Amino acid sequence: MPYEPPTHAVERSIRATTGAKIVAGVDEVGRGAWAGPVTVCAAITGLRRPPDGLTDSKLITPKRRTELAVRLESWVTAHALGHASPEEIDDLGMTAALRLAAVRALAALPVRPDAVILDGKYDYLGVPWRVRTVIKGDQSCVAVAAASVIAKVRRDAMMAELQGEFAVFGFADNAGYPSPVHKAALAELGPTPYHRLSWAYLDALPKWRHLKKVRLSPEAAALEDGGQLGFDF
């Protein structure tokens, strides 16, 4: 299906209205997986023309996505990744874990961005970061699209590395997301050390239900329930 390529329109708007000079695009992958980390990429691209075919990673074939990620990693001005482990997701909840991974990614950049374009509706990053949220930013914003592709390829590669030890779970194909192979392995063998144990899938596995973790952090619960953590502009 034809799609409109991403542009620098949001970044130009931020620069014009706030005086920001360095704007990073941020996107995540792994939010809905049952196993593995949640991974966030922060990418700074400037206002240069992006490589052809750049868009949301989910709209690109795996082969093309991998090829594009290699090109993007040398094309972007800077990029960095941050991860939150399954244990951190269990302890903090997804919203707080996303923030943790995003802060790690931003902190790993060689320069601190003046502003951040965050894919989606909600600002899970919050103060002190200056954030603009953009629904489907991974399709419309160059920096966010670049972050989307790099994050997806890098996390998929991390999950594929587990294939040797846990081949029956099919992590090289499903990247920790639910699939028939993954579900069958879970029912038979139970969760691996890389599974999220606070998630509802364990409720449907009587043999392994006793392993489910209950998150007790009041701060994390408030983040899961609540609205904006920072401010939009």
Side-chain angles (χ1 to χ4, degrees), residues 57-71:
S57 64
K58 297 184 291 295
L59 302 179
I60 308 174
T61 65
K63 182 177 184 295
R64 172 59 180 153
R65 190 165 56 220
T66 300
E67 294 170 349
L68 185 57
V70 172
R71 186 174 179 189

Side-chain angles (χ1 to χ4, degrees), residues 4 53 83 95 111 123 158 162 169 172 178 183 210 216 227 230-231:
E4 292 293 325
H83 311 278
T95 302
V111 292
D123 175 11
M158 290 173 60
L162 302 178
F169 288 86
K183 291 177 180 179
H210 64 285
L216 299 176
F231 55 90

Side-chain angles (χ1 to χ4, degrees), residues 8-67:
H8 294 294
V10 175
E11 185 172 338
R12 291 182 189 278
S13 171
I14 292 172
R15 287 171 177 246
T17 57
T18 71
K21 295 181 179 180
I22 301 173
V23 181
V26 170
D27 198 17
E28 54 77 23
V29 63
R31 185 196 300 247
W34 288 2
V38 62
T39 296
V40 171
C41 181
I44 300 171
T45 64
L47 299 176
R48 292 171 297 141
R49 179 177 175 176
D52 291 340
L54 178 62
T55 187
D56 173 12
S57 64
K58 297 184 291 295
L59 302 179
I60 308 174
T61 65
K63 182 177 184 295
R64 172 59 180 153
R65 190 165 56 220
T66 300
E67 294 170 349

Side-chain angles (χ1 to χ4, degrees), residues 11 14-15 18-27 40-46 77-81 101-118 125-132 143-144 147 231 233:
E11 185 172 338
I14 292 172
R15 287 171 177 246
T18 71
K21 295 181 179 180
I22 301 173
V23 181
V26 170
D27 198 17
V40 171
C41 181
I44 300 171
T45 64
T77 303
H79 77 282
L81 287 101
V103 168
R104 287 170 173 167
L106 290 164
L109 289 170
V111 292
R112 180 184 173 92
D114 302 312
V116 174
I117 304 171
L118 190 63
L125 186 55
V127 294
W129 300 96
R130 176 174 286 174
V131 174
R132 178 174 292 184
V144 179
F231 55 90
F233 59 95

Side-chain angles (χ1 to χ4, degrees), residues 29 32 62 85 134 185:
V29 63
S85 69
V134 178

Side-chain angles (χ1 to χ4, degrees), residues 172-222:
D173 296 318
N174 59 50
Y177 285 83
S179 70
V181 168
H182 190 173
K183 291 177 180 179
L186 267 173
E188 178 64 25
L189 301 174
T192 71
Y194 301 97
H195 277 87
R196 303 168 187 181
L197 299 182
S198 60
W199 283 46
Y201 70 83
L202 279 172
D203 294 335
L205 300 173
K207 187 177 178 180
W208 309 106
R209 193 179 297 155
H210 64 285
L211 297 176
K212 187 173 181 181
K213 290 184 178 179
V214 178
R215 178 166 43 88
L216 299 176
S217 166
E219 178 182 3

Side-chain angles (χ1 to χ4, degrees), residues 127-169:
V127 294
W129 300 96
R130 176 174 286 174
V131 174
R132 178 174 292 184
T133 57
V134 178
I135 296 173
K136 294 188 177 180
D138 48 9
Q139 296 181 35
S140 61
C141 302
V142 169
V144 179
S148 167
V149 172
I150 294 171
K152 173 65 174 169
V153 170
R154 293 286 290 273
R155 185 183 181 277
D156 282 359
M158 290 173 60
M159 296 303 297
E161 290 178 0
L162 302 178
Q163 185 71 14
E165 187 177 0
F166 301 104
V168 70
F169 288 86

